[in-house]
Each structure stands twice: as C-alpha cells, then as structure tokens.
C-alpha cells in the first residue's frame, strides 16, 4: 500500500516506518520536524535499504495538509503528528488543542477529499484518565487529567463520530502504554529535546553521563516497592502493532468503523525495577534521589492486551531487559542523540 505517515520522523513514527517498509509498503512522511529530525529518517532509509520521502508540513496548516494528500495519494494514513508533553499542555492548552485536535480535523478533511478513509491513530492510555481498576481494558471508563489527555480523548471522539457518519471509514484507535527501547541496530531511538519528561530517556542520559542523577517521583505509592508501576512496551513491538492494526482495517475485507486497541504488555514494572534493569543492561550505576510525587501521577497503570491479541493477532514479545539493552545501544552509540553523531 501507499501509506502517509504523519509524525514519521519522530520516535514512534520512525520505528513504525521501518516496519511498514519491511512489509513492502510505500511510505511518505509528513512532519514539521518541530520535535523530530530529518537525520532519523535518513537512518530509517539506511536500515530499510531505500529512501523515504519527507514532506515538511505542519498539520495545523490546512491547505498544506490537503496539498500533501493530493500529491501523495495515500491508501491509508498513520497519524502520529502531535504534541505530547503533559506539563507543557497545562501551560499552553490552546496550542495543544489546535495541533492535536485541529491537526486531526485538517487531516480527516483532506483524507475525505482524496477518497482515503483508512486511518491508524496514535492514541494513548492517557484516555483512561485516573482509572484505578487494573488491568485497563478498552471498555474501562474514559477521562483525562490534563489538557494533553483531553486532546487524545477528544480526538478519539471526533474519529468515532466521523466513522459513524460514513461507513466507508476504517479507524484504529491505538492506545499506547509506555513506549521505550530503540531499534536493535542502535541507529534510531528516542531523542527528546531539553530535559526528558519520561523515565527511560532520563535514566539513559544519567547512564551516559549527560545528567547526574534520576529523581524518583515518590516512593510512597501503594505498590510493592512504593514507586510508580507502568506497562513499558518495546517501541518495535509497538511499531508491529501498527502494522497489524493497518492490516485489520485495510483492503476490501478490512473492518469498518472506529475500533480501540490497547498496545501494552500486560505487565507492570516499578521505577526501581526499571532502574535495576537499566543498570544491568548498561553496566553503569544510575544514582537516584527520591522526591515528592509528580502532580497527576497514578500509582499503577497496565494494560489488558487481550483484545489486540485476539483481534489483531498481535502480542508484545520483548521484555524489560531487551528494552533497556536496546535503549542503551542507541544512547551509548549516540550520546547526544541525532545532533552530533
Ligand atoms: N518518573 C520518575 N522520574 C522521572 C520521570 C518519571 O520517577 O524523571 C516516574 C513517574 O512518576 C512514573 C514513571 O516514572 O511513575 C513513568 O513516568 P513517565 O513520565 O515515563 O510516563 P507516564 O506513565 O507518566 O506518562 C506516560 C506518557 C504520557 C501519558 C501517560 C498516561 O508519557 O504521554 O503515560 O498514559 F499521558
């Protein structure tokens, strides 16, 4: 298939492009490079053995999005392009709604105009809000605790309504748990700008010597060791989940309508367990200090991944040690990310 991938130069996008190319699909990437690097795509081309075309377009630019779709004539779209920092979304809500919700509206309008109605959407376990009943199934109650979370919640609703209005639409709402790890080649990985918000990139930068110590946000949660428990999923497993979802919703026999699937492992790991696994993988010590809880953090979050297994034939296969080993290969080989390596 001819596939347009928005946000395809970013962390999850670049890994997904690798897997799509490996399946024989043709890929065009739409990305404004605001939190991504053209170098990532160049390396994706290296891994895949063929170059990937980049359209430097901002999803909030309606005319440019339409022109891109008219040029690329995709048969399906995988939509990653969005802002994703929780704290920043509290400071700049309008920008988050404009980019994440408005950007998706631009994309849907352009897709409809060119007759492409097959869409895989990058959603998040954040749509389960402050749910406490674990594991989370696709039928768990939805909500949000910050503007970023509301943008994912609202975009899912927009896409459900669009799919309900016209039976030609097929939409996969993929709810990611905590993506970590890197391609086993060590050539592409997560390269956050500024201070990492997320646990594993922060640990990796401590291990490689860019930062002194990890701050553990709370060790008084109701969990076995007191630190927060999350469902970490290897980014290559996640990328394979996109390929499986696309296969499910595309072609003449593809499932129509909008459907949500959790992409997680079903296993939770605590902050201390992740630190220990990273120390084993890297052979480096990761000094930590404990600080108060971060606003909005829940004690525990992990998926029930049964629906994706049963309906997509997909399961996450890579464990925490492999996630840390692959992250370390990427981080140690590219200490400054894509910048100077
Ligand atoms: N943590 C630390 N120190 C850090 C960073 C994180 O102790 O420097 C802890 C957090 O308190 C949490 C765990 O590590 O217990 C994971 O935190 P992340 O920030 O890596 O991930 P979250 O689960 O908080 O957030 C992720 C996504 C968000 C999404 C959210 C809910 O990054 O986009 O899941 O789905 F909104």
């Amino acid at each position: 298939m001819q596939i347009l991938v928005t946000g395809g130069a970013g962390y999850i996008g670049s890994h997904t492009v690798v897997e799509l190319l490996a399946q024989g699909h043709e890929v065009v990437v739409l990305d404004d490079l605001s939190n991504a690097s053209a170098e990532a795509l160049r390396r994706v081309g290296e891994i895949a053995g063929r170059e990937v075309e980049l359209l430097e377009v901002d999803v909030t630019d309606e005319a440019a999005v339409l022109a891109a779709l008219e040029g690329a004539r995709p048969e399906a779209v995988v939509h990653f392009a969005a802002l994703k920092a929780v704290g920043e979304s509290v400071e700049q809500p309008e920008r988050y709604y404009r980019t994440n919700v408005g950007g998706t509206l631009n994309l849907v309008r352009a897709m409809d105009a060119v007759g492409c109605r097959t869409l895989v959407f990058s959603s998040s376990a954040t749509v389960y809000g402050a749910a406490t009943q674990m594991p989370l199934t696709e039928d768990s109650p939805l909500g949000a605790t910050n503007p970023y979370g509301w943008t994912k919640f609202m975009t899912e609703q927009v896409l459900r309504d669009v799919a309900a209005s016209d039976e030609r639409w097929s939409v996969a709402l993929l709810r990611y748990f905590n993506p970590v790890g890197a391609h086993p080649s060590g050539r592409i990985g997560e390269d956050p700008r500024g201070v990492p918000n997320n646990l594993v990139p922060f640990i990796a930068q401590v291990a490689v010597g860019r930062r002194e110590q990890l701050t553990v946000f709370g060790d008084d949660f109701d969990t076995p060791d007191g630190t927060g428990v999350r469902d970490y999923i290897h980014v290559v497993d996640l990328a394979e989940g996109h390929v499986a979802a696309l296969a499910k919703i595309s072609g003449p026999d593809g499932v129509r309508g909008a459907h949500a699937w959790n992409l997680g492992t079903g296993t939770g790991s605590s902050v201390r367990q992740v630190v220990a696994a990273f120390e084993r993988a890297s052979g480096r010590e990761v000094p930590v200090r404990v600080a108060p809880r971060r606003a909005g953090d829940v004690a525990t979050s992990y998926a029930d991944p049964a629906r994706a297994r049963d309906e997509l034939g997909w399961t996450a296969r890579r464990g925490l040690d492999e996630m840390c080993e692959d992250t370390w290969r990427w981080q140690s080989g590219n200490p400054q990310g894509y910048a100077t390596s």
Side-chain angles (χ1 to χ4, degrees):
M1 273 191 294
Q2 174 76 11
I3 300 170
L4 181 88
V5 181
T6 78
Y11 171 46
I12 304 171
S14 58
H15 288 80
T16 301
V17 172
V18 168
E19 299 308 319
L20 290 169
L21 292 170
Q23 295 294 313
H25 295 298
E26 296 294 325
V27 176
V28 175
V29 166
L30 183 157
D31 201 305
D32 70 350
L33 303 181
S34 60
N35 188 28
S37 148
E39 174 64 11
L41 267 195
R42 202 190 60 72
R43 294 186 185 188
V44 165
E46 228 176 66
I47 293 167
R50 51 198 167 115
E51 277 184 32
V52 186
E53 187 185 351
L54 169 66
L55 308 172
E56 224 175 303
V57 168
D58 177 340
V59 286
T60 63
D61 184 340
E62 186 178 350
V65 170
L66 178 59
L69 274 280
E70 283 172 344
R73 288 280 157 186
E75 297 165 78
V77 174
V78 185
H79 179 38
F80 294 101
L83 302 171
K84 57 150 213 162
V86 172
E88 189 180 70
S89 78
V90 176
E91 307 295 324
Q92 305 172 27
E94 184 272 344
R95 187 170 154 242
Y96 269 68
Y97 289 107
R98 182 183 299 272
T99 304
N100 294 10
V101 183
T104 306
L105 292 172
N106 290 340
L107 186 65
V108 164
R109 176 173 281 193
M111 287 176 67
D112 204 48
V114 301
C116 169
R117 298 181 186 85
T118 302
L119 175 64
V120 176
F121 173 62
S122 177
S123 189
S124 164
T126 196
V127 300
Y128 297 116
T132 51
Q133 182 77 33
M134 298 295 142
L136 294 161
T137 77
E138 290 80 357
D139 299 324
S140 292
L142 301 183
T145 58
N146 56 70
Y148 161 75
W150 285 116
T151 68
K152 292 294 176 186
F153 175 101
M154 288 182 191
T155 305
E156 281 202 2
Q157 188 60 43
V158 166
L159 295 173
R160 277 190 290 269
D161 289 341
V162 166
S165 74
D166 180 339
E167 62 190 15
R168 291 173 296 179
W169 279 91
S170 293
V171 180
L173 309 170
L174 302 184
R175 296 176 180 161
Y176 313 154
F177 282 71
N178 290 62
V180 301
H183 191 267
S185 65
R187 296 294 291 156
I188 58 173
E190 186 167 12
D191 182 19
R193 297 200 174 160
V195 182
N197 292 306
N198 299 112
L199 179 65
V200 170
F202 202 105
I203 292 175
Q205 290 192 6
V206 173
V208 85
R210 275 172 71 177
R211 302 190 186 274
E212 288 220 338
Q213 60 178 2
L214 171 72
T215 302
V216 175
F217 297 133
D219 66 352
D220 56 353
F221 288 103
D222 184 14
T223 60
D225 66 19
T227 64
V229 168
R230 296 291 184 274
D231 185 340
Y232 297 93
I233 174 170
H234 197 296
V235 67
V236 175
D237 279 324
L238 192 64
E240 290 173 355
H242 290 72
V243 174
L246 189 61
K248 179 80 180 178
I249 66 168
S250 55
D253 299 327
V255 169
R256 302 283 173 259
H259 302 271
W261 287 288
N262 284 341
L263 297 183
T265 65
T267 302
S269 303
S270 73
V271 173
R272 289 203 188 279
Q273 285 175 314
V274 176
V275 169
F278 207 92
E279 288 184 330
R280 282 196 300 276
S282 63
R284 303 273 178 100
E285 199 190 331
V286 176
V288 304
R289 77 177 180 100
V290 177
R293 295 180 183 188
R294 190 169 63 176
D297 275 357
V298 296
T300 303
S301 168
Y302 58 92
D304 178 345
R307 189 179 288 178
R309 181 197 62 208
D310 296 345
E311 297 182 359
L312 306 180
W314 170 91
T315 34
R317 294 182 288 131
R318 298 163 177 87
L320 184 60
D321 288 330
E322 192 169 346
M323 298 178 209
C324 293
E325 284 156 17
D326 289 338
T327 301
W328 180 242
R329 190 174 302 109
W330 151 253
Q331 186 71 75
S332 55
N334 306 269
Q336 303 297 326
Y338 293 112
T340 53
S341 48

